[in-house]
Amino acid sequence: MQGTIQTIHAKRGFGCLRNTEGAKVFFGRSALTPPASFATLEVGMRVEFEPESGPKGPRTATITVTPLETPPVLSFEALAAYFHRHAAG
């Protein structure tokens, strides 16, 4: 499943995320898969996780941070041509 980190309690080692349906899901430090670490998590990060049932409701068995998709890099010449075309306006 996919979700977004909503809260992080770093000192206590847990947090909550929302899955794509909007449900709140608990996660603990031990659920993170390398190379992610609890210190690198930020509110708003997209993650993939394996859900499981916990004693107080849904929680994650594992969490993997979803890498951001970066746009393709344009060459200097392509950027210069783009600005030249659009600067005349």
Side-chain angles (χ1 to χ4, degrees):
M1 293 188 84
Q2 294 184 341
T4 305
I5 294 179
Q6 298 294 304
T7 58
I8 301 169
H9 302 282
K11 289 183 181 181
R12 297 182 71 192
F14 70 89
C16 291
L17 59 89
R18 295 252 180 216
N19 65 18
T20 53
E21 290 86 35
K24 196 173 188 179
V25 181
F26 170 86
F27 68 89
R29 176 175 310 179
S30 62
L32 290 169
T33 57
S37 71
F38 205 79
T40 62
L41 293 182
E42 294 181 20
V43 172
M45 280 184 146
R46 304 271 306 147
V47 295
E48 292 185 14
F49 66 97
E50 292 296 322
E52 65 181 11
S53 292
K56 296 182 180 180
R59 66 180 181 187
T60 62
T62 61
I63 295 178
T64 305
V65 175
T66 306
L68 296 174
E69 293 182 20
T70 55
V73 177
L74 297 176
S75 68
F76 177 78
E77 292 79 15
L79 286 172
Y82 173 84
F83 285 114
H84 180 73
R85 285 193 307 270
H86 294 87

